[in-house]
């Protein structure tokens, strides 16, 4: 630590700290223009000039990059400094008279107008003041090295390579962020890239995916992170005090020995854009159920506030049931949870806004404990229930100045009339559907799926958590649409099944195995290559094949193939099957 | 009385047997002509079982396995497919219409497919008429002392 004296205030700082930082600690303001915490001091605007006095000699230095030494005396507001600042500011004012940041800094320094004429006077409010912050951030932080200065003197300007848009620019927006005048702007052109999953607005590359997640740690989206594009930035690592940011983490394949597996791979939601009549993905303020759930979340993008895209509170909200479910074009089954969460949505919208709420339903299915009571409570809250599946959602023709209100068309089957309901927010209750990779997963575990595409249980009533493959269990929406209480019950049942085997310590295996009678085996080895589990070994000295009981799964392929009928499938022997045949065909 | 075919079906435990079970659970009406023998895999079905079934008086044989790629035992259904192709050649030389043997891939979730296949196959066999292979074999064996199968 060294002690320096800034404007008669003594301050203790680490050696080599720039004067600007030391002054900040002493509570002294030094004007800056080109400086930013993000990159190394550039020292080009000279506005932070201060007077350093060592003994009888004094020097003018820039505070942003001059390191302090023991015993330095610094004057930040001497007559000399004031004169230097005045000249710098007047020169800037003469060239860029309307730039807000220049005007403000000049005002802070008590400078009203410039004495100088300028050949390159730029009246624009967002003129480039050549501070170089964009160039520095692009070079040092982003390391894309796209922006640079070109030409000299009054012709100096910030350019892209060859003055053209370059594909080396990763469009990170860092230059626009640091630009003090707004000269660099991010223009969102018609973005036809992939649609992010469940976002209601922009998010950063490092974010906490869900506040309820365990462990609650941020993740980095490698696709949008600057570091993974250019190797630069690392801003998050710089500010993280426990040094917890690790860019080298890779996906890894971990092999775990497990005797029993519980599959809880969950569900996907039906893509609302497949039903174009509801305008999902085309009209503003049409949300899927999960998107709206995110909006309701107090840690979500709106902090739990129910609002339209323009930030206003909705005046009327329409909740459309059975989008993609109970629909022979898409999924014939009922997703079970939608009626109840639709009521919950209505309750929360009623709670948080003044909006009128309309529910468009086919049938209300309030089937669980306490559900019917909740439904009647909602009816008392003044929710409008319209029995009839909505036909379409359109933009209403009378909407003005982007105040886009929507119109829901439907048939109200209770009054037998066609209705048009104006709303300004629509929530779709999308069907639950099997995960996209359900086939790949079920092949890995050799289990089946039911006609609706969800995993098939061993028995729909008596064994809804086991599967036909021993040791593989299923629970939750991977088995079929269900709500949280049902999922918890099913998962507990599966866990109990699994524990019962663990506490037993041993597993009974199916006695269905192939067995080779040594007497009849001719050692032809036909069965060896047929076995999909390589369970049949050939014994060289005896010249016969034997079955490994642990590897054999009892499919019987070898039994059927053995030309000498030396192989017997226990439980399914030739004699047994032939006896079955005879019995079957007796009558 | 109208001819009612007797059909023997060999269904694999994992797909078609479960699928047929599903058809039953779902109350899908399927013909009672089909008598099912459960095997662990369609690959277990020895061609001699099929010939034996014909000999014992079956008018048709239906084999059900998992869809290609879905076999519980990796590739048993492919083995069944190969055997059925060969057996059909043999059946021709025996004078049995090869339509009397049918191999179908029916998964555990396809109760409706089972219903469809069972109904269609029964209809096919019904239009083909009785096979009477048993009498044929008995006559042959008594006159020529030859044993078939």
């Amino acid at each position: 630590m060294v002690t320096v004296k800034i404007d008669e205030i003594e301050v203790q700082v680490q050696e080599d700290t720039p004067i600007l930082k030391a002054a900040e600690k002493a509570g002294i303001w030094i004007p800056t223009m080109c400086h930013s915490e993000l990159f190394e001091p550039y020292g080009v605007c000279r506005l932070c000039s201060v007077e350093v006095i060592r003994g009888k000699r004094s020097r003018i230095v820039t505070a942003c990059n001059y390191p302090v030494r023991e015993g330095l005396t610094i004057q930040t507001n001497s007559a000399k400094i004031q004169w230097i600042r005045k000249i710098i500011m007047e020169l800037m004012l003469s060239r860029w008279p309307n730039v807000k940041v220049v005007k403000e800094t000049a005002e802070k320094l008590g400078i009203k107008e410039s004495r100088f004429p300028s050949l390159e006077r730029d009246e624009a409010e967002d003129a480039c003041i050549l501070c170089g912050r964009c160039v520095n951030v692009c070079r040092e932080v982003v390391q894309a090295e796209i922006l640079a200065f070109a030409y000299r003197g009054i012709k100096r300007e910030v350019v892209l390579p060859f003055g053209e848009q370059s594909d080396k620019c990763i469009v990170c927006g860092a230059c626009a962020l640091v630009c003090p005048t707004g000269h660099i702007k991010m223009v969102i052109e018609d973005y036809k890239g992939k649609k992010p999953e469940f976002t209601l607005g922009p998010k950063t590359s490092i974010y906490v995916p869900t506040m309820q997640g365990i462990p609650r740690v941020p993740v980095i989206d490698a696709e949008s992170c600057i570091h993974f594009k250019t190797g630069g930035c690392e801003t998050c690592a710089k500010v993280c005090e426990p040094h917890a940011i690790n860019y080298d983490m890779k996906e890894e394949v971990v092999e775990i020995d497990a005797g029993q597996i519980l599959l809880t791979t969950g569900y996907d939601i039906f893509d609302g854009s497949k039903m174009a009549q509801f305008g999902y993905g085309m009209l503003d303020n049409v949300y899927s159920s999960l998107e709206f759930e995110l909006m309701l979340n107090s840690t979500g993008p709106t902090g739990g506030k129910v609002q339209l895209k323009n930030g206003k509170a909705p005046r009327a909200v329409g909740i459309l049931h059975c989008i993609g479910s109970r629909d022979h074009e898409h999924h014939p089954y009922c997703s079970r949870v939608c009626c109840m969460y639709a009521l919950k949505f209505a309750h929360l919208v009623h709670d948080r806004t003044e909006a009128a709420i309309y529910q468009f339903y086919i049938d209300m299915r309030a089937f669980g404990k306490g559900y019917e009571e909740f439904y009647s409570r909602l009816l008392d809250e003044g929710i409008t229930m319209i029995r009839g599946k909505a036909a379409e959602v359109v933009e209403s023709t009378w909407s003005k100045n982007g105040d886009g209100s929507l119109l829901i068309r439907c048939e109200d089957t209770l009054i037998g009339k066609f209705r048009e309901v104006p709303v300004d927010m629509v929530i779709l209750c999308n069907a639950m559907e099997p995960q996209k990779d359900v086939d790949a997963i079920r092949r890995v575990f050799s289990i089946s799926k039911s006609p609706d595409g969800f995993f098939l249980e061993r028995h729909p009533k008596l064994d809804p958590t086991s599967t036909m493959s021993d040791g593989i269990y299923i629970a939750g929406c991977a088995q079929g649409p269900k709500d949280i209480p049902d999922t918890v019950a099913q998962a507990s049942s599966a866990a109990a099944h699994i524990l019962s085997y663990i506490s037993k310590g041993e597993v009974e295996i199916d006695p269905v195995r192939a067995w080779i009678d040594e007497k009849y085996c001719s050692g032809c080895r036909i069965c060896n290559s047929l076995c999909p589990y390589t369970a049949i070994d050939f014994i060289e000295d005896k010249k016969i094949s034997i079955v490994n009981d642990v590897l054999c799964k009892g499919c019987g392929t070898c039994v059927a193939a053995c030309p000498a009928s030396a192989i017997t499938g226990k439980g399914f022997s030739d004699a047994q099957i032939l006896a079955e045949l005879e019995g079957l065909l007796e009558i | 009385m109208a001819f009612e075919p007797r059909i023997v079906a060999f269904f694999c435990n994992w797909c078609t047997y479960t699928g047929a079970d599903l058809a039953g659970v779902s109350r899908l009406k399927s013909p009672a002509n089909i008598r099912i023998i459960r095997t662990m895999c369609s690959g277990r079905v020895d061609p001699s079982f099929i010939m034996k079934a014909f000999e014992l008086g079956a008018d048709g044989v239906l084999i059900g396995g998992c869809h290609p790629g879905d076999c519980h035992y990796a590739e048993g259904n492919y083995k069944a497919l190969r055997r059925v192709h060969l057996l059909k050649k043999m059946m021709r030389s025996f004078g049995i219409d090869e339509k009397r043997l049918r191999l179908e891939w029916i998964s555990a979730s396809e109760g409706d497919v089972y219903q469809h296949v069972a109904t269609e196959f029964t209809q096919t066999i019904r239009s083909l008429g009785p096979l009477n292979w048993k009498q044929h074999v008995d006559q042959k064996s008594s006159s020529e002392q030859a044993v078939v199968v």
Side-chain angles (χ1 to χ4, degrees), chain A residues 26 48 90 97 103 120 140 191 242 280 303 321 352 363 365 466 498 540:
Chain A
C48 63
E90 283 188 30
K103 283 201 293 191
E120 284 290 313
E140 276 183 36
Y191 180 65
Y280 179 75
H321 291 227
R352 297 181 190 182
D363 297 294
R365 297 192 162 174
S466 307
I498 288 170
E540 286 292 340

Side-chain angles (χ1 to χ4, degrees), chain A residues 529-532 557, chain B residues 42-43 75-84:
Chain A
S529 57
L530 278 178
C531 181
T557 302
Chain B
S42 52
E75 50 196 23
N77 49 358
Y78 295 130
K79 307 269 159 47
L81 179 64
R82 275 161 30 181
R83 286 174 189 148
V84 164

